[in-house]
Amino acid sequence: GVRMAHNFYVYHLLSKNILSMPVLKNIVELGTGEGAISIMLGLLGQVRKVSPRMVYTFDIKKWHSFETSCLLNCLGVKFECRDVLNGFGEEKRNGDELVKHILSEGPIYLLCDNGNKKQEFKTYVPFLKLGSLISIHDYGQEFTDADAIIEGIKLEPVEKEEWTKYNCQFATWRVI
């Protein structure tokens, strides 16, 4: 098995979020960890018929096992070992694979669960298309409502009453 670093209710909310999107082009996870959520994203990508290799997960280090890597590959999840915030600056539209997919046509689902959720949110939300969803794990601990305010970007909370249910600490906003 794969060790789950998240509360069981996170998986429920993740499913509801992705299955509720009328159009979904890509799924992007920042923070692979041991890969349990990545596997779930791969399965949801299969259900939603997201194009092969359009489910991406990024982490600064490969924490997950060889077996998990094989499973992610079978599910069409592409893992990349890199710092998604390193060197972002002026090169944001010049070849960064993550940004290319975020900037691609249509809405995406973005999950921020890396080491610097506040910076990931501020860096990537401005590139999301209308209708995209962005989720943050560790809501209330490492991220608050005040962190979700970005000048010029309109976001609406998605089922806020669910965010702390069963201590799941999983918040989601829609780009409007």
Side-chain angles (χ1 to χ4, degrees):
V2 178
R3 189 175 83 72
M4 291 174 29
H6 301 84
N7 175 304
F8 72 96
Y9 203 67
V10 167
Y11 294 86
H12 168 71
L13 294 178
L14 191 63
S15 297
K16 275 178 68 172
N17 289 338
I18 290 175
L19 296 176
S20 75
M21 294 180 72
V23 177
L24 175 63
K25 287 289 189 177
N26 299 316
I27 298 172
V28 178
E29 175 189 34
L30 306 178
T32 310
E34 294 191 44
I37 290 284
S38 308
I39 291 168
M40 183 68 167
L41 292 172
L43 290 168
L44 289 166
Q46 296 285 323
V47 169
R48 286 300 309 267
K49 298 184 180 12
V50 173
S51 299
R53 294 292 183 206
M54 295 307 222
V55 179
Y56 289 84
T57 184
F58 298 85
D59 210 317
I60 197 164
K61 181 179 176 184
K62 185 176 182 275
W63 305 96
H64 55 279
S65 68
F66 171 76
E67 292 80 10
T68 299
S69 290
C70 292
L71 182 53
L72 292 175
N73 191 48
C74 288
L75 291 171
V77 177
K78 183 175 183 184
F79 169 75
E80 288 200 26
C81 185
R82 69 200 235 192
D83 183 351
V84 295
L85 295 174
N86 186 26
F88 187 75
E90 293 302 315
E91 296 132 28
K92 59 189 167 198
R93 295 183 189 267
N94 294 334
D96 185 291
E97 189 171 347
L98 171 63
V99 176
K100 282 182 188 175
H101 288 288
I102 288 177
L103 294 175
S104 69
E105 294 180 18
I108 71 151
Y109 182 79
L110 175 62
L111 172 59
C112 294
D113 196 13
N114 235 338
N116 192 342
K117 295 167 183 76
K118 292 176 187 180
Q119 189 59 46
E120 291 161 12
F121 194 90
K122 287 180 183 174
T123 299
Y124 290 109
V125 166
F127 294 100
L128 297 177
K129 303 286 186 193
L130 291 177
S132 292
L133 293 182
I134 180 167
S135 293
I136 300 285
H137 183 240
D138 298 319
Y139 172 78
Q141 301 295 317
E142 297 177 29
F143 197 92
T144 66
D145 288 339
D147 299 316
I149 298 169
I150 300 175
E151 190 174 330
I153 307 290
K154 289 187 176 184
L155 300 171
E156 70 177 351
V158 176
E159 297 189 29
K160 191 168 184 174
E161 67 279 359
E162 300 284 321
W163 293 3
T164 56
K165 199 172 189 179
Y166 305 111
N167 195 33
C168 68
Q169 303 173 349
F170 195 77
T172 303
W173 292 265
R174 178 177 291 107
V175 179
I176 57 172

